[in-house]
Amino acid sequence: VIPPEVPPLASTFLCRGEAQQQLKEGLLLHTSPVLKALGMGGSGKTVLATMLVRDDEIRQHFSAISW
């Protein structure tokens, strides 16, 4: 279940496939069960996190997701 606080995906965004894949692999392999996103404002941290939270594999892997 996606937490209600998670924003909807933007209709347009810059795809960060490599960064998203690296974070996803880290989460699924339990190398980092908790991640933090650091960067300048407007660099896409929230969009990247939203994409991960809405990913089917991530949602199936974890029993709960906090936002």
Side-chain angles (χ1 to χ4, degrees):
V1 174
I2 299 172
E5 303 84 26
V6 175
L9 279 175
S11 58
T12 33
F13 55 87
L14 177 63
C15 183
R16 305 185 117 191
E18 184 177 322
Q20 182 182 358
Q21 189 61 34
Q22 287 176 343
L23 290 171
K24 182 177 174 178
E25 288 173 6
L27 287 168
L28 294 176
L29 296 173
H30 288 279
T31 57
S32 298
V34 175
L35 298 176
K36 61 182 172 181
L38 303 173
M40 295 179 59
S43 63
K45 300 176 299 291
T46 301
V47 172
L48 188 57
T50 301
M51 290 173 70
L52 286 169
V53 168
R54 294 181 179 279
D55 184 277
D56 290 336
E57 278 186 273
I58 296 290
R59 290 197 346 252
Q60 290 172 3
H61 186 77
F62 293 97
S63 60
I65 295 175
S66 295
W67 185 260

